[in-house]
Amino acid sequence: MRNLFFTFAMCVALVTLQACGGDSSSTEMENTDIVPSGTYTGTAERVDTEEQEIYVETQDGKTLELYFTDQTKLTQNGETVSFDALQKGQNVEVEVEKKGQRLEPVAVRILE
């Protein structure tokens, strides 16, 4: 009887946690990758102007989550541009620096 009660309690807890987990149709991307410092080419899969954040899918299928800093240099055609020049679907080249378990974009170049 005790095992039955324990199993029931665990099922209720799991259902409750899953229900509190949020909307599965959320636009928030999950399953991002941490890569070594370096330069990567890919496509901007998501651009969040408010957070100054982009998600880049690299040519080898990795997804990079990048929050811009005041030091991030963004260029297009050799000229510095503002963050709102970035749009979903654009090809980009990103230079990132790995800092612990996050990636910091040093430079982002819009290729189109």
Side-chain angles (χ1 to χ4, degrees):
M1 185 68 164
R2 185 178 290 201
N3 284 341
L4 182 62
F5 176 77
F6 179 77
T7 303
F8 177 76
M10 291 302 294
C11 288
V12 169
L14 287 173
V15 168
T16 302
L17 285 174
Q18 187 175 15
C20 293
D23 182 8
S24 63
S25 65
S26 170
T27 58
E28 190 69 29
M29 296 187 77
E30 297 177 16
N31 301 325
T32 57
D33 298 289
I34 302 295
V35 295
S37 296
T39 303
Y40 300 88
T41 303
T43 304
E45 291 298 320
R46 179 172 171 228
V47 177
D48 186 335
T49 305
E50 223 174 89
E51 295 289 327
Q52 290 211 335
E53 169 190 32
I54 64 171
Y55 288 81
V56 176
E57 185 172 334
T58 64
Q59 291 177 333
D60 62 353
K62 296 191 182 327
T63 300
L64 311 182
E65 177 181 21
L66 306 173
Y67 285 92
F68 278 48
T69 69
D70 291 338
Q71 289 75 40
T72 303
K73 183 177 180 183
L74 177 61
T75 59
Q76 184 174 24
N77 298 322
E79 295 186 21
T80 301
V81 295
S82 64
F83 187 87
D84 60 0
L86 273 169
Q87 296 182 14
K88 180 179 177 179
Q90 286 178 317
N91 291 324
V92 294
E93 180 182 79
V94 296
E95 180 185 345
V96 298
E97 186 175 320
K98 182 180 177 192
K99 293 195 174 184
Q101 289 301 308
R102 67 181 180 89
L103 299 173
E104 187 171 295
V106 174
V108 177
R109 187 165 56 115
I110 301 171
L111 300 177
E112 318 183 311

